[in-house]
Amino acid sequence: MERVLRERKYSITGLFKHIGAGNKIHVPLDCYTANSISTECTRQNRYAGCDPMNNKFATTKKEKTGYITIIQRY
């Protein structure tokens, strides 16, 4: 399931709690910075104890223009 945020509803750490396994969320770059989302993604993967080649969370900016996409794999 894909979700698109239009405004700043959640904190940066709160975004990762609202995704769900196998889903993705599109976050607007005018409300959140790409660097802060990427840093929190790395932090969440470390908390989950993921293997570096099999991360739980991933980010991409190529899927939707003006948004950064957070993907939860499992």
Side-chain angles (χ1 to χ4, degrees):
M1 180 176 119
E2 289 188 37
R3 286 183 57 194
V4 178
L5 289 181
R6 305 275 184 224
E7 58 192 25
R8 187 176 178 109
K9 285 185 177 181
Y10 309 112
S11 66
I12 295 173
T13 56
L15 289 171
F16 289 86
K17 295 178 184 174
H18 289 93
I19 299 175
N23 296 325
K24 53 181 96 170
I25 188 169
H26 302 285
V27 180
L29 288 173
D30 56 347
C31 296
Y32 300 91
T33 61
N35 190 26
S36 64
I37 298 290
S38 297
T39 303
E40 186 61 30
C41 181
T42 304
R43 200 175 291 147
Q44 291 291 329
N45 284 328
R46 231 182 278 142
Y47 290 152
C50 299
D51 180 35
M53 297 304 289
N54 189 20
N55 288 329
K56 184 174 184 178
F57 295 103
T59 59
T60 180
K61 289 196 305 190
K62 296 181 180 180
E63 197 161 316
K64 191 169 183 167
T65 56
Y67 290 85
I68 186 166
T69 305
I70 306 170
I71 304 163
Q72 183 174 352
R73 295 186 178 148
Y74 55 88

